[in-house]
Structure formats: structure tokens, C-alpha cells
Amino acid sequence: MRLSTRPVGTVIDLTDCGLDAIDEVSDDPVFGRALRIGAYVTLGTFERDGRVADATDGAASCAVRDIVGVQFRNLVTVGGSVCGRFGFSDVCLLLLALGADLEFVGGGRTSIEAFLLDTAPCRDVLTHVIVPACPVRASYQAVRRQATDFPLINACAARTERGWRVAVGARPGRPRLVAGASAGGGIEAKPATPSISFDPTPEEVAAACSAAEGLVYSNNMLASGAYRREVAPVLVRRAIEAACGAASLQGAASAAADRPEMGEGAR
Amino acid sequence: MNISFVLNGKRVGCDIVPDTSLFELLRSQGCMSVKCGCETSDCGLCTVWVDGVPTLSCSVIAARVDGHDVTTLEGLQRESHAFAVCMAEEGAEQCGFCSPGLIMTVLAFERELAGRVPTEDEVRRYLAGNLCRCTGYMSQMRAIRRYLGMPREAAAVLDASIEKEGVA
């Protein structure tokens, strides 16, 4: 509303609906232990909350701390970030990699993966984002032309007891999984993506990087599609390495040597 | 529509047009410290506290503060004096337009620190949303280091390295 000229007839303030709380539950029907993050939780709270830090291995703070400024993040909400479904959204990327679910007033519970794949306008009201509260290793990576600007490409890798999920965003299209997604119909038929074992092999990392190269990239004022295609696999590799610790990435150095086609540009 | 809120410790009742921004409302109430430096929610000049939390007043619909507590620099004159002196002694402003927003953010940061001395990186990250067209931030950083008790030795080394490498 601030930046557009679109007329808005009615604005309903939901700040007194109790949606600004973060609750830890142990009986979530899907995740068991989970964080229920109210849609009105600000990115500032999301950034500083210790439970969110534990559930995201600190990736939540990394994902949002470069968004404009503290004052801005004290206004922007998790729900607003999710429902906007903007391609550059650091929050959507992080939640996709974590395998989060969403709760809507009308539509009930759905995965953020399905919500991001859905191209229909959202006419529902998001109430909660549900994140598994299990042991996790995660890493968020991004490239920005300048501080506090939108990312021109970003990636996030998360390893939980359910396995690895790796996603790329700011393509400039919406974030997409490049590892850990299962094949399915739903809104849009999608192929399975490579799976990664708990301690990734070089071949599995290379497959995830290759899947990142295979996404659709296009141009906008921040970067060209070709540049994004070149950089995305590098961020995927860095995110996986950072999430599992480089020492535990089997043969990481030899994997890099085995892929001379990655070339200088990809570094 | 009628709203009622606490502004700098005093209860205020207003009849506003529904799409009035908090920025417009505060200036209409005489809080001229609140400035607008952009139209994109980026510059931080309009920073005020809503319930003690630093917020961009240009991006808040005034109706949302009904029943809440708003603080501008006009309500922090005593609390801001020491930092204002640091800024003046370090030559920390040129046009001064960004200063109220910067002071509001620094004081909010100080409250969050609760006595802890921050690192250089923490200061720069927290103030990333306060832009200044005039200064290059060197003088403000000197003032902030003094005010928050950050080591002068580290500051001197950092300033020297920046001068050497020409990096702001």
C-alpha cells in the first residue's frame, strides 16, 4: 500500500487477534515438536527469538538481518512475507528449505511448497506458520549488489531428521526446491528432485548443484538470468557445506576438481 | 475516525482521515523532529518508537496506534542529551536531516543492549536502516563509539585502516 497507487476500500487491522505469538508445541499432528509462529510475528521478533534460532540453526537471523533495517523489520510480518510470495523473499526461501506448513482460516493446513507452486491469488487469511522444532543444521546464502538491497539470488539448505531440503530463490521467480522434494501432482505436477544422504557424497552435492542449474532463471534490473544460473549452484554448494560442516562433506576438494565445467564464473 | 493514543507521555485524541500515515499525524501534532527522506520505507529518517520499538512512521497507518504508546525525539530530550553532545563534538551532522531518526535508533539500540558494549559489526548492522546523504557515517560512528563506551583503540585502528584502504 505504501508504494502503490492501488485504491484500497477497507483495511482490517488484525493486531489484536493474538497472531503475534510464537508457541512451542509437542503435539503437532505432522511434526510432533513444532513452533507455531503467528502470522503477525514481525521479522524483528523472528530474527531475535531464541526458539526460532534453535529451530533454524541460526539461519532465520541470517535470512532476515539484511532486509532494509531494524525499523523496517519491526513492521514487516512473517505472514506478510509468506503471503506476498515474492521471488526475492528470504523468508519464503528459508521456510521452504525447512519444510514448513501454513495454516489458513478457510483452507486449513498446507505445505509452503504447495503454496509457492500455486499461481492462483490468495483470498484466504494466513494465521500461522508451523516449523518443525527438531535438531537441524541449516545455512542461508545470498548475493546482494549492495547492503540492505533485495537478493539477486539466494539459496538455503536444511538437514533435519526428515532429511535434506535445498532451495533456490530470487530467480527472480519464487523459491523452488532443488533437493528433497518428492514427486507429486497437486497444483502442478512436479518431478522429484535429488535426495541427499545425511552425510552428503560429492555426487549428491553435484546432483543438487546440477538441479539448481536446471531451474528457470530470467532477467530483471538486479541481475541477468545467465548470471543467476552461474551463481546459484555455487550458493547451493556453499549452503550444503556450511550446513553439514565442510569437514564432514566427503571428498569436497576432489568433487570440486571433478567438475572443471563449473569454471571460474561459478566460483 | 477518532483515535486516542499516548504521545510522548501525554494522551492525545485525534479525528483523522483513515489513510493518514503516522508520520503525517505526528507532524500535525507538532513533532517536527520526524522527517521523511524517501518514499520507499528505506531511509529511517521517520523513525519513532511505537510501544518502545523503533518503527518507520511513514509506513504505519495512524489508526494502528490507537491505544498504543508513541515516542518521538521530542519526548526523549533528556535521554538524548548525552548522545547529542557526542554527536556535536564529533561533528556528526552536516545538514542534520537524518539526525533525529539516527538518535531514535541509537537510543533504542542502547536500551536493547542493557549495558552491554556492542561490537563494531553489531552497531553497523543495527543502523543499516538509517541513511545519511552527507557524511559517509564516519563522524556518526565516532560519536556512537564514544557514547556506547566502545574501545577507542579499536576505533582508532579501524579508522586508520579505512583511511589507508579508502573504504567507507
Side-chain angles (χ1 to χ4, degrees), chain A residues 2-3 15 66 71 74-75, chain B residues 39 47 54 58 64 125 130:
Chain A
R2 172 78 173 91
L3 301 181
T15 50
D66 289 318
Q71 310 94 313
N74 286 336
L75 279 176
Chain B
E39 293 287 348
T47 301
C58 73
R64 284 193 63 185
R125 279 197 180 278
N130 285 89

Side-chain angles (χ1 to χ4, degrees), chain A residues 24-117:
Chain A
E24 191 164 0
V25 299
S26 59
D27 57 354
D28 181 79
V30 176
F31 301 135
R33 280 190 64 232
L35 289 187
R36 289 178 59 82
I37 302 170
Y40 253 70
V41 168
T42 66
L43 294 194
T45 300
F46 187 73
E47 178 182 358
R48 294 184 291 264
D49 190 270
R51 295 160 298 175
V52 173
D54 289 340
T56 65
D57 193 23
S61 174
C62 291
V64 304
R65 67 186 180 186
D66 289 318
I67 298 174
V68 185
V70 163
Q71 310 94 313
F72 186 85
R73 300 196 294 278
N74 286 336
L75 279 176
V76 175
T77 61
V78 171
S81 297
V82 168
C83 286
R85 290 185 283 189
F86 293 110
F88 54 73
S89 173
D90 308 282
V91 175
C92 285
L93 173 77
L94 172 76
L95 295 175
L96 179 62
L98 293 172
D101 278 356
L102 311 175
E103 260 184 18
F104 291 89
V105 170
R109 186 162 176 157
T110 186
S111 69
I112 189 166
E113 182 181 358
F115 185 61
L116 292 174
L117 286 169

Side-chain angles (χ1 to χ4, degrees), chain B residues 8-120:
Chain B
N8 295 325
K10 294 181 182 173
R11 181 153 294 278
V12 172
C14 305
D15 185 13
I16 62 169
V17 174
D19 63 354
T20 302
S21 71
L22 180 60
F23 164 75
E24 293 165 329
L25 176 61
L26 292 175
R27 286 186 65 88
S28 75
Q29 294 293 313
C31 296
M32 308 309 273
S33 71
V34 188
K35 306 286 197 279
C36 180
C38 71
E39 293 287 348
T40 54
S41 310
D42 279 304
C43 71
L45 267 62
C46 64
T47 301
V48 301
W49 298 351
V50 177
D51 297 332
V53 175
T55 305
L56 300 173
S57 61
C58 73
S59 304
V60 175
I61 296 176
R64 284 193 63 185
V65 302
D66 182 42
H68 292 269
D69 205 312
V70 178
T71 308
T72 70
L73 191 57
E74 284 81 359
L76 295 173
Q77 292 191 27
R78 197 167 51 165
E79 186 171 338
S80 65
H81 178 75
F83 180 52
V85 168
C86 285
M87 287 185 65
E89 292 180 349
E90 296 296 340
E93 60 182 17
Q94 295 183 25
C95 77
F97 209 61
C98 70
S99 295
L102 179 78
I103 295 171
M104 295 298 294
T105 306
V106 169
L107 294 181
F109 185 42
E110 182 190 20
R111 287 188 175 194
E112 286 187 25
L113 290 170
R116 182 176 67 83
V117 176
T119 64
E120 189 83 13

Side-chain angles (χ1 to χ4, degrees), chain A residues 135-236:
Chain A
V136 62
R137 293 301 306 267
S139 173
Y140 167 87
Q141 306 281 333
V143 175
R144 298 171 202 272
R145 293 175 71 113
Q146 54 202 4
T148 76
D149 200 356
F150 295 118
L152 57 91
I153 190 79
N154 52 15
C156 186
R159 182 186 75 184
T160 68
E161 57 200 17
R162 294 168 177 254
W164 281 92
R165 290 169 65 94
V166 184
V168 173
R171 301 153 33 237
R174 294 175 183 176
R176 291 286 184 259
L177 285 170
V178 297
S182 55
I187 303 299
E188 176 182 314
K190 52 183 176 66
T193 54
S195 62
I196 302 177
S197 50
F198 194 81
D199 289 315
T201 65
E203 293 75 22
E204 290 169 339
V205 175
C209 294
S210 180
E213 284 183 76
L215 289 178
V216 172
Y217 298 96
S218 48
N219 305 337
N220 69 358
M221 61 186 291
L222 289 176
S224 68
Y227 184 81
R228 289 180 158 108
R229 187 183 307 282
E230 194 76 13
V231 176
V234 179
L235 296 190
V236 164

